[in-house]
Amino acid sequence: MLYKTNTPCGLKAGSMIPLSIATYATKIFLREYNVNRIFLSNIGLWPFQNRLTRNLLWTFCFLLEISYCPFEILLLYDHWDNTQTIFEGLYQIVLSASFLVRIMNEFWNRDKIRRLYQTIDEHWNMFTNDVEVRILKDYSTLSRKFTKYYAMLMYVMMSGFIVIPLTPAFLDVIMPVNESRPRFLAIEVEFRVNKDEYFLLIFCYTTAICVVGISIMVSVDAMHITCTAHACSLFAVVSKQVENIISKIDNNNENEYRYLTTELNLSSEEMIYREYITCLKKHQLAIEFVNILESSYQELSLVLLILVIATLSLIGIRIVYVLNQLEETTRFMFIIMGALMTLMIVCYSGQRLMDESQNVFYRAYAAKWYNFSPRLKSLLLITLYRSNIPCGLKAGNIVPLSIATYATVVRMGMSYFTAFLSLKDK
């Protein structure tokens, strides 16, 4: 069965990728992206794992994250007259919402995401020559390293965020005083109980929320970047093939001029023509893959973009009131660093995808078209038409994910922070 998609460059073509009815994970995918599979499986987001296990893990993570919301609403209700507590509760609700929208997107778009993974695996069976395999391998290695380092960094920052509230307890053991130091939690929450008496239970509950939330964020974001890196590798393959074909045409014309023979030229032209046709088909596969990727994550990207802006604004306001408190300032800096890093990674990967897709146009544009045969010229025109508008990812089909978008968001967050800081000084 073949499926069709509308390409962003205005073309429609039937895909050569067969869609399997069975949900499977083949050896190539597991070999290249096994780290991503482990992270997704731990929270029930791997579409090929046992259905019962998947549903139990997903339900547990979702219920744990959403169980936190009523206590935050209770916090806002009980402390409505305390401005600092209000901002504390609001940014925590925003962070909780970012975890929930990630896991909900994976649930609602499970079929599309499963098709993404199957398509990636099928690409490894289609792009089989040495150059293509090397490019795919380079990008898969890069995405695997990114997943590992990104997970390590996020979990380290989460550990610092969780451990800082335990500082008073450590100081009571190391440097005891006549009275216990006041304790505070990494997440401000209202249970309407004595927090000192139930500190351990509340701490374990809030820690579980943080660990599961970060696991959701790392798993979803890392797989999104991995899919984007694979899309970049497809365009890099096409770009390299276009460059090689143009080089062959130039060599063919040079041989014709040197030896004044047309027999070799005609046979070479036929072979180059067939290679170019194959190259265009692979370019179409790359465009269709980007379409599936964008449709799977465009709503999530838009919501996360809004939530990141809200997080930076709310935490910036909160930091204004705790600049003289080192522990609190450090805790909030971990959150800001995490939010900015998440946004930067998504925007940079989108920018890289745009650059790789546009490289196809640059390679074709640099060709000496006047040396082409008429039918090769027609293929060159198709290449230029398809690649004229770069393929990229958009948040909600509105905001392009690029470095320019990242700079705009950071500039907006800094302006909010400086504005509230000036108001506080007055």
Side-chain angles (χ1 to χ4, degrees), residues 31-285:
R31 183 190 67 204
E32 299 296 331
Y33 310 105
N34 193 45
V35 177
N36 299 96
R37 180 193 65 82
I38 293 173
F39 279 115
L40 291 169
S41 298
N42 289 336
I43 55 177
L45 296 181
W46 178 244
F48 305 109
Q49 68 187 120
N50 178 271
R51 178 175 295 182
L52 178 61
T53 304
R54 183 182 67 204
N55 290 337
L56 287 176
L57 288 173
W58 183 90
T59 303
F60 169 76
C61 294
F62 177 76
L63 291 179
L64 179 65
E65 291 301 316
I66 205 170
S67 68
Y68 170 72
C69 296
F71 301 116
E72 280 302 313
I73 295 173
L74 192 62
L75 176 71
L76 297 178
Y77 179 79
D78 288 351
H79 302 275
W80 191 251
D81 56 342
N82 190 327
T83 305
Q84 296 186 31
T85 305
I86 292 297
F87 281 117
E88 185 94 14
L90 287 176
Y91 92 77
Q92 290 175 173
I93 290 177
V94 169
L95 289 177
S96 181
S98 70
F99 300 146
L100 289 172
V101 295
R102 283 181 171 92
I103 197 170
M104 288 300 298
N105 182 77
E106 294 287 314
F107 178 79
W108 290 115
N109 293 314
R110 181 176 294 170
D111 292 338
K112 292 182 181 179
I113 292 172
R114 181 190 293 115
R115 189 167 67 177
L116 266 181
Y117 301 163
Q118 291 175 348
T119 304
I120 289 175
D121 193 81
E122 288 159 357
H123 285 163
W124 281 85
N125 295 324
M126 293 179 180
F127 295 71
T128 53
N129 69 46
D130 293 340
V131 175
E132 293 172 346
V133 171
R134 178 176 55 80
I135 294 175
L136 292 178
K137 188 73 176 178
D138 288 343
Y139 275 90
S140 68
T141 302
L142 180 64
S143 62
R144 184 165 56 250
K145 289 181 179 179
F146 163 78
T147 301
K148 292 179 180 178
Y149 294 141
Y150 179 62
M152 290 172 56
L153 184 59
M154 296 307 294
Y155 281 115
V156 166
M157 289 195 298
M158 179 203 67
S159 300
F161 182 75
I162 293 174
V163 169
I164 286 177
L166 297 178
T167 303
F170 292 146
L171 291 177
D172 286 341
V173 175
I174 299 173
M175 302 174 58
V177 293
N178 294 332
E179 56 182 14
S180 298
R181 294 178 174 85
R183 297 181 178 181
F184 63 95
L185 295 166
I187 299 177
E188 191 66 33
V189 67
E190 181 58 63
F191 291 98
R192 290 185 175 176
V193 296
N194 189 326
K195 292 183 180 180
D196 291 333
E197 184 177 352
Y198 296 96
F199 179 80
L200 183 59
L201 290 176
I202 297 175
F203 176 78
C204 291
Y205 173 71
T206 55
T207 300
I209 289 175
C210 291
V211 172
V212 172
I214 292 297
S215 299
I216 293 171
M217 183 176 70
V218 169
S219 303
V220 174
D221 291 354
M223 197 64 222
H224 184 198
I225 300 304
T226 297
C227 292
T228 307
H230 179 74
C232 291
S233 70
L234 299 181
F235 286 110
V237 165
V238 174
S239 178
K240 186 66 176 177
Q241 286 187 343
V242 170
E243 184 179 9
N244 291 339
I245 290 171
I246 292 173
S247 177
K248 287 181 181 179
I249 294 174
D250 292 339
N251 292 336
N252 193 33
N253 291 326
E254 183 180 347
N255 291 334
E256 179 188 6
Y257 175 77
R258 182 178 301 173
Y259 300 108
L260 299 177
T261 177
T262 60
E263 183 178 353
L264 177 62
N265 181 48
L266 291 176
S267 62
S268 299
E269 197 271 347
E270 179 65 25
M271 181 183 66
I272 292 171
Y273 179 78
R274 295 183 180 277
E275 286 184 12
Y276 210 146
I277 290 292
T278 303
C279 181
L280 287 178
K281 290 180 179 179
K282 291 179 178 180
H283 189 211
Q284 183 65 27
L285 293 180

